[in-house]
Amino acid sequence: MITRKSRDEIKRMRHAGHIVALVHKKMREVIEPGISTKELDSIAMQIIKENKAIPTFLGYHGFPGCICASINEEIVHGIPSENVILKEGDIIAVDVGATYGGMVGDSAWSYAVGKISEEKALLMKATEESLFAGIEKMRAGNILDDISGAIEDVANSYKMGIVRQYGGHGVGHSMHEDPFLFNFRVGDKTPIKSGMVIAIEPMLNLGCDDVKVLDDEWTVVTKDGKPSAHFEHTVLATDDEPVLLTTLME
């Protein structure tokens, strides 16, 4: 069932989203060659705890980290490790959730580690652009397929692969709520209504669409081994402009 959030619930989600944005602000500062993904996880944990929130991902279906840290061909659900060290030329997607007052904020961003190739830079540009194209369609009166189609159109314009097994989702009292949001057209005519909150999160690949899950039963990678990028915001639909709930509050 798709729920519409009350003013109080949105206020708490906005606070959770601010904490998530604080984590990403810090990630931009510390991501560089030589840092481990475990260090990134510890930094995120400290920020979330300092702000009296709960790391949403930690323990979720047994997930062992506070963040998902997915490098190069890893798409989502990469497990932080002290043995995984970022190298010059990598790209890393950091996905993080925080729960504040019982409500969840969820956002992912892809970062360049030092100087990256033109191909990887184009992949990141295309994926971020597809996110904001989708966000633009998160308006009361539209349908879910409007968001999916906007993401697909950008991906196709850059000739990028689209991850089809994973996508966006409703978010609020829990990290994954109805509806599921595909990153390509499926004919979903579910109406978008004011008060709905969806985590919009395109994942695009430099190569094919196909993915596989590694033996750790978490990390999802591209089947052809080519890089992937992931961008996500938690977005509120209103009768006017879409509202990003995972940005810094002034």
Side-chain angles (χ1 to χ4, degrees), residues 45-190:
M45 174 76 82
Q46 182 179 358
I47 292 169
I48 291 169
K49 293 288 191 182
E50 283 176 351
N51 285 276
K52 299 179 173 54
I54 297 167
T56 312
F57 295 2
L58 184 62
Y60 183 79
H61 294 301
F63 188 76
C66 171
I67 63 171
C68 297
S70 307
I71 301 171
N72 295 330
E73 75 277 5
E74 297 173 355
I75 302 165
V76 285
H77 307 157
I79 298 172
S81 169
E82 60 188 11
N83 297 320
V84 177
I85 310 298
L86 298 186
K87 304 185 303 297
E88 182 87 16
D90 286 340
I91 60 172
I92 178 172
V94 176
D95 194 354
V96 60
T99 303
Y100 180 87
M103 304 301 289
V104 176
D106 182 11
S107 174
W109 216 254
S110 291
Y111 300 94
V113 182
K115 186 177 181 180
I116 61 173
S117 68
E118 289 183 6
E119 277 191 325
K120 285 181 176 178
L122 185 65
L123 170 66
M124 289 175 58
K125 178 179 185 291
T127 312
E128 184 177 356
E129 191 175 309
S130 73
L131 168 64
F132 284 98
I135 289 169
E136 175 62 24
K137 298 295 184 181
M138 181 69 176
R139 298 170 181 268
N142 284 347
I143 60 174
L144 289 186
D145 227 41
D146 291 329
I147 303 173
S148 303
I151 292 169
E152 181 181 23
D153 288 345
V154 172
N156 288 342
S157 73
Y158 283 95
K159 297 181 170 55
M160 298 294 172
I162 301 172
V163 174
R164 296 175 183 270
Q165 293 90 334
Y166 301 86
H169 50 88
V171 61
H173 289 277
S174 64
M175 182 164 55
H176 292 114
E177 297 183 354
D178 291 335
F180 182 82
L181 177 69
F182 290 90
N183 288 318
F184 56 97
R185 290 179 180 85
V186 294
D188 191 336
K189 293 181 170 54
T190 301

